[in-house]
Amino acid sequence: MAAGESMTGGAAVSRWIGSANAGYARYAQQELVARFGEVGFQELIPGELFLASIRRSEADVARLLRGNEPVFLRHIHPVQTEFPASRGEEDLLRLQQWLESAGPAISPGDRVGVQARRKPETEYGYTPYAVKEALDRVLTERFAAEPVISGPDKVVSVYMGESSVYAGVSAASDNLSDWNGGMIRFKREDGFISRAKFKLLEAEVRFGLDWSAYSRAVDLGAAPGGWTSLLLERGLRVTAIDPGELDPSLTGHPNLTYHRRKAGEVKMERAAYDLLVSDMSWDPRQSAKLVAEIAPAIRPGGTALMTLKLLRGKPFQSMREVEGILAPALRIVKAKQLFHNRDELTLLLTRPSDS
């Protein structure tokens, strides 16, 4: 039995801290119940962060979530120790002592990230960075591991709550995201057009998109050009369609064709594109209908990536309706509410080869 697991009625019970976008924790919890049956929940940050007790081993939970990743559960990590928070140096000492005893989980040479966060507006006598410094010393001196900030093999996760400190060690792949709490951050670079670009950058990472597999893309609802700009940076030829105006910085780009009109007014050849992207602020059913109508412009086996604005209180119903509208023209490969999505989610789709 792994550290942090207990036995209830002969079955292992593991504990996890789950994260979702603000206001969507209950949907992430519903996803866990659908997969594991009875799950106990304790709220840590209303609508966003929770502690889950699952009647499965850590290994089983991680394996099942990796194989069928939830839509609204953005990040999860195991809780293998919990103790009352002193909010002072004693907490750091207890965390060091716990990590020193977690020997089998960490091996020499492992790349290990320490990810610490605390409940907003909760005062501690130390910072999350102080937690990292204290635990990095244990990683190097006790385990001969390599502390890293990005691309870890394993993660030491620490959450400083209102009255307790929670911690666990896991493979980075078991957390659904190797970013702290799944909160992936990007810098605003020179020439930044809109925050919409962050959504496509995150999708690139989370979906493992290989832009070299595409040469021609069409961007529906492109204005002001956040997604178009990234696709051009990645070397694609882009057809941008929107009655609104693109950012002047894109004017004259040699790989850009711009139609300042509605998508339905633009004639597109069949199988002309490898990739279709859409980030329109429409009702999800309207967005799905438009994308389904234009789907023949994608080559068989090609890809579509679109965001859906969610109707509050009915996200799963919206997803079912959209899936029905898109089929059989497009098949959903993955649906995920990304950190930068807010009240929406991102769909990765493919056009079936026999269509």
Side-chain angles (χ1 to χ4, degrees):
M1 190 161 57
E5 293 179 358
S6 60
M7 298 294 292
T8 301
V13 177
S14 56
R15 303 170 75 221
W16 303 79
I17 287 181
S19 302
N21 284 7
Y24 286 88
R26 62 175 171 146
Y27 304 118
Q29 292 172 0
Q30 288 175 25
E31 291 178 307
L32 289 176
V33 170
R35 284 163 174 76
F36 302 110
E38 182 182 351
V39 181
F41 296 107
Q42 176 186 337
E43 194 173 68
L44 299 176
I45 298 178
E48 185 173 352
L49 196 76
F50 56 87
L51 180 67
S53 298
I54 303 175
R55 291 177 178 268
R56 292 289 188 98
S57 69
E58 283 184 14
D60 280 349
V61 171
R63 175 176 55 81
L64 291 169
L65 291 181
R66 284 198 312 270
N68 184 16
E69 185 173 337
V71 176
F72 296 100
L73 184 66
R74 189 180 70 221
H75 181 274
I76 194 168
H77 71 77
V79 173
Q80 295 152 354
T81 188
E82 174 188 354
F83 56 84
S86 72
R87 304 198 184 186
E89 292 293 323
E90 182 184 342
D91 293 347
L92 299 179
L93 292 173
R94 293 191 67 169
L95 284 168
Q96 287 179 315
Q97 291 167 356
W98 160 74
L99 185 57
E100 286 175 351
S101 68
I106 300 172
S107 302
D110 279 347
R111 292 169 52 85
V112 185
V114 174
Q115 298 180 350
R117 52 185 169 148
R118 63 184 173 190
K119 185 175 182 180
E121 301 179 1
T122 301
E123 292 297 326
Y124 273 76
Y126 54 90
T127 64
Y129 185 73
V131 174
K132 173 175 171 53
E133 285 187 316
L135 297 185
D136 278 353
R137 286 196 293 273
V138 177
L139 291 171
T140 55
E141 296 170 9
R142 167 73 170 81
F143 299 109
E146 179 187 356
V148 296
I149 295 175
S150 61
D153 303 316
K154 294 176 182 175
V155 178
V156 180
S157 301
V158 178
Y159 178 69
M160 299 112 75
E162 195 164 351
S163 58
S164 296
V165 176
Y166 308 85
V169 181
S170 54
S173 58
D174 291 346
N175 292 6
L176 303 183
S177 169
D178 61 8
W179 287 75
N180 195 354
M183 297 180 285
I184 186 167
R185 308 284 188 180
F186 301 102
K187 291 182 179 179
R188 288 180 176 241
E189 300 172 344
D190 292 342
F192 180 84
I193 293 176
S194 75
R195 66 167 296 276
K197 184 176 182 178
F198 292 155
K199 290 188 282 185
L200 188 55
L201 281 167
E202 186 176 0
E204 177 182 26
V205 174
R206 293 301 305 270
F207 296 155
L209 296 174
D210 178 8
W211 300 116
S212 67
Y214 312 107
S215 59
R216 299 189 63 193
V218 57
D219 185 358
L220 306 181
W227 285 28
T228 289
S229 67
L230 179 60
L231 296 176
L232 291 171
E233 288 171 17
R234 297 297 189 258
L236 280 72
R237 296 171 61 191
V238 182
T239 298
I241 304 174
D242 198 302
E245 188 173 356
L246 288 183
D247 189 273
S249 65
L250 299 175
T251 302
H253 195 291
N255 286 340
L256 175 64
T257 300
Y258 172 36
H259 298 287
R260 191 172 180 181
R261 61 189 71 175
K262 295 179 181 179
E265 300 171 350
V266 179
K267 184 177 181 180
M268 284 177 269
E269 295 180 10
R270 189 176 184 86
Y273 301 99
D274 309 296
L275 175 69
L276 179 152
V277 299
S278 172
D279 182 38
M280 296 181 292
S281 299
W282 286 11
D283 174 276
R285 293 174 292 266
Q286 289 180 300
S287 294
K289 287 177 182 176
L290 176 62
V291 170
E293 289 172 1
I294 295 176
I298 311 170
R299 64 170 174 78
T303 298
L305 190 77
M306 64 182 296
T307 57
L308 290 178
K309 313 305 174 184
L310 293 171
L311 303 177
R312 278 284 181 158
K314 299 180 179 179
F316 295 112
Q317 178 181 327
S318 294
M319 288 171 57
R320 288 192 296 270
E321 291 176 351
V322 164
E323 186 173 16
I325 292 169
L326 292 171
L330 294 165
R331 178 176 61 83
I332 296 177
V333 177
K334 191 170 186 178
K336 191 73 183 177
Q337 187 174 53
L338 304 177
F339 174 62
H340 289 95
N341 275 150
R342 296 181 181 175
D343 291 316
E344 59 192 7
L345 57 84
T346 299
L347 298 182
L348 177 67
L349 308 116
T350 186
R351 186 176 178 212
S353 296
D354 57 359
S355 61

